[in-house]
Amino acid sequence: MHETDIAVIGAGAAGVAAARRLHDQHIATVLMEARDRVGGRAWTYAGEHALDLGCGWLHSADENEWASLAPRLGFTVDESPPPWSRPALTVNFSAAEQAEYRAAWERFYDSIDAAAAEDSDRPMSDCFEPGGRWNPILQAMVTYINGAEAEKISIREYARYHDSELNRRVRQGYGALIQAYAAPLDIRTGCPVTLIDHSGTRLRIVTPRGEISARAAVIAAPPGVLANESLRFSPALPQKLEAAHALPLGVADKVFLALDNADEMPRDTRVYGSTTTHETGSYTLRPFGRPVVEGYFGGEFARALEHEGAGAFAAFAIEQLVGALGGDMRKRLKPIAESAWARDPYSLGSYSYGNPGAQAARAKLAVPIDGRLFFAGEHCSEKDFSTAHGAYRTGVKAADAAIRALQAQPA
């Protein structure tokens, strides 16, 4: 049995941040990760180009710790404005239509803001205009942003999210940045934790690769992994199980396609697959000027495409792009990689969202147990949920609490 002071479970953004804080404070720490890679839902596909299949944007970049860490680790923060701040391609979405859509967008979010000011717990879908022409694409955008449909999102809970509205990208990949930050750590990959026995004076942490004895643990696993008891506690923690069930993760998936003769296309420009249905992808041509297309899918539609199996996102995206840009595109597009976060047994979704009762569940899940079990992850963040910097902050907070608890304990 390996012994350590603190075990950190889950090497995503929260777990890496916690373990790095502990490491830098010279606390003996082991970081355990079920996958064979570090980063969790921050995953940079390392092919000819660095492609983020998980989180890709430094949201609230002027406040985001990862943005501050990037240059120190040799990573470049790209300051180009995001594609959604500029008009989309007009081939299937005229300039006049885009102006109408933007006006509908502003009315929709004005309505949400007004309801939030009244502390309304109504669903966001109540803010759609009855029979509105642009409701389908607004619904699609809601799923891209939140991973869930407007009907599932509480206006009160949605309003808790903090956003400075400054968005930046990491040229070498967000996932690669988090992996680089983890470089000095003692990491055990391919090591899923199945049981944390906290009945004794030390924790007994069970994995297929053996057991670890620790004085404390930071649990940075997604709520679905706790809810389905892939990771169990002994004695059981019914209050944590209840909170985890109350925090489902939304689904947001990506596909990347190689694009031949890419120079003929504008860089960092969006193409909407459809404006008449929410079951559509949104596509960015030539992100960073690279010869690729990035496709984005959200909500139950993304989940349904996942269930169709590998290649479904690419096939759907190619058909939509051919419809928008012409039959010539079929021979110019080739699949590179796609995600399937809801099917991933160690994620079971992409990120948390403002479902009814989320704040109470986040607070309940974040509470430490007996000064030995500490919880972290974006789903534990009161106002930065769904982000890698929210995960970072909860990881550091849990690590600091664990350090204080250990200092108060006999060795």
Side-chain angles (χ1 to χ4, degrees), residues 318-332:
I318 289 171
E319 289 304 317
Q320 282 207 311
L321 289 166
V322 167
L325 302 174
D328 172 64
M329 294 301 295
R330 193 178 303 279
K331 61 186 179 185
R332 295 173 60 182

Side-chain angles (χ1 to χ4, degrees), residues 257-328:
L257 307 170
L259 174 62
D260 289 342
N261 299 320
D263 289 345
E264 298 176 5
M265 294 290 177
R267 59 177 291 164
D268 272 314
T269 300
R270 293 169 303 155
V271 175
Y272 286 89
S274 172
T275 63
T276 59
T277 176
H278 70 276
E279 294 187 334
T280 182
S282 176
Y283 308 96
T284 299
L285 304 175
R286 300 182 62 207
F288 291 114
R290 294 166 177 164
V292 300
V293 176
E294 179 180 14
Y296 207 79
F297 303 83
E300 291 304 314
F301 180 56
R303 195 185 299 272
L305 285 175
E306 284 193 24
H307 283 307
E308 291 185 18
F313 287 108
F316 185 88
I318 289 171
E319 289 304 317
Q320 282 207 311
L321 289 166
V322 167
L325 302 174
D328 172 64

Side-chain angles (χ1 to χ4, degrees), residues 5-67:
D5 281 333
I6 301 182
V8 179
I9 298 160
V16 167
R20 184 62 191 263
R21 182 72 150 210
L22 295 164
H23 170 272
D24 292 350
Q25 295 297 314
H26 309 291
I27 306 292
T29 304
V30 174
L31 175 58
M32 290 172 283
E33 168 57 42
R35 300 180 181 85
D36 60 1
R37 60 173 181 82
V38 171
R41 287 165 280 162
W43 176 23
T44 302
Y45 176 86
E48 183 178 356
H49 305 284
L51 307 174
D52 277 317
L53 285 165
C55 56
W57 287 94
L58 294 159
H59 298 301
S60 297
D62 49 338
E63 306 170 359
N64 187 317
E65 288 83 354
W66 295 113

Side-chain angles (χ1 to χ4, degrees), residues 24-388:
D24 292 350
Q25 295 297 314
H26 309 291
I27 306 292
T29 304
V30 174
L31 175 58
M32 290 172 283
E33 168 57 42
R35 300 180 181 85
D36 60 1
R37 60 173 181 82
V38 171
R41 287 165 280 162
W43 176 23
T44 302
Y45 176 86
E48 183 178 356
H49 305 284
L51 307 174
D52 277 317
L53 285 165
C55 56
W57 287 94
L58 294 159
H59 298 301
S60 297
D62 49 338
E63 306 170 359
N64 187 317
E65 288 83 354
W66 295 113
S68 300
L69 287 167
R72 289 164 43 189
L73 294 168
F75 285 71
T76 303
V77 176
D78 184 84
E79 297 189 356
S80 305
W84 61 81
S85 67
R86 300 189 300 279
L89 214 60
T90 57
V91 288
N92 63 343
F93 195 12
S94 72
E97 289 173 324
Q98 291 187 45
E100 290 178 14
Y101 162 63
R102 284 193 297 272
W105 171 280
E106 290 174 6
R107 293 193 300 272
F108 177 55
Y109 279 94
D110 284 347
S111 178
I112 291 171
D113 290 343
E118 299 172 357
D119 196 32
S120 172
D121 200 31
R122 293 184 292 127
M124 186 186 286
S125 55
D126 279 6
C127 296
F128 288 133
E129 296 173 343
R133 158 68 180 90
W134 303 105
N135 287 352
I137 191 169
L138 289 171
Q139 176 76 289
M141 291 300 299
V142 168
T143 69
Y144 303 153
I145 296 167
N146 300 278
E149 287 72 20
E151 290 80 4
K152 299 179 181 179
I153 301 169
S154 157
I155 292 172
R156 176 187 297 156
E157 298 291 346
Y158 173 82
R160 300 188 196 283
Y161 176 73
H162 170 73
D163 185 3
S164 76
E165 300 187 1
L166 184 67
N167 297 283
R168 297 287 185 258
R169 290 174 293 185
V170 182
R171 185 169 287 275
Q172 298 94 330
Y174 208 154
L177 169 63
I178 293 171
Q179 186 175 24
Y181 192 57
L185 303 176
D186 180 0
I187 306 172
R188 315 293 168 86
T189 56
C191 189
V193 172
T194 57
L195 175 70
I196 299 176
D197 181 351
H198 56 109
S199 61
T201 56
R202 291 179 68 92
L203 304 178
R204 183 173 67 92
I205 298 170
V206 179
T207 84
R209 294 176 55 186
E211 297 185 1
I212 289 179
S213 172
R215 295 171 65 193
V218 174
I219 296 98
V225 172
L226 303 181
N228 72 4
E229 297 189 84
S230 299
L231 167 56
R232 296 185 299 110
F233 296 91
S234 180
L237 298 175
Q239 72 275 35
K240 298 298 184 187
L241 193 61
E242 180 184 19
H245 276 289
L247 289 171
L249 297 189
V251 184
D253 283 309
K254 295 181 184 178
V255 64
F256 285 94
L257 307 170
L259 174 62
D260 289 342
N261 299 320
D263 289 345
E264 298 176 5
M265 294 290 177
R267 59 177 291 164
D268 272 314
T269 300
R270 293 169 303 155
V271 175
Y272 286 89
S274 172
T275 63
T276 59
T277 176
H278 70 276
E279 294 187 334
T280 182
S282 176
Y283 308 96
T284 299
L285 304 175
R286 300 182 62 207
F288 291 114
R290 294 166 177 164
V292 300
V293 176
E294 179 180 14
Y296 207 79
F297 303 83
E300 291 304 314
F301 180 56
R303 195 185 299 272
L305 285 175
E306 284 193 24
H307 283 307
E308 291 185 18
F313 287 108
F316 185 88
I318 289 171
E319 289 304 317
Q320 282 207 311
L321 289 166
V322 167
L325 302 174
D328 172 64
M329 294 301 295
R330 193 178 303 279
K331 61 186 179 185
R332 295 173 60 182
L333 294 167
K334 294 181 175 56
I336 301 174
E338 61 187 31
S339 63
W341 293 112
R343 286 209 328 255
D344 184 328
Y346 304 121
S347 294
L348 300 172
S350 302
Y351 40 72
S352 60
Y353 60 95
N355 60 300
Q359 183 190 38
R362 296 184 205 285
K364 185 183 293 186
L365 192 53
V367 172
I369 299 291
D370 298 331
R372 296 194 299 165
L373 300 178
F374 303 85
F375 295 82
E378 54 85 12
H379 53 280
C380 291
S381 176
E382 180 181 353
K383 60 181 182 179
D384 300 309
F385 51 88
S386 82
T387 69

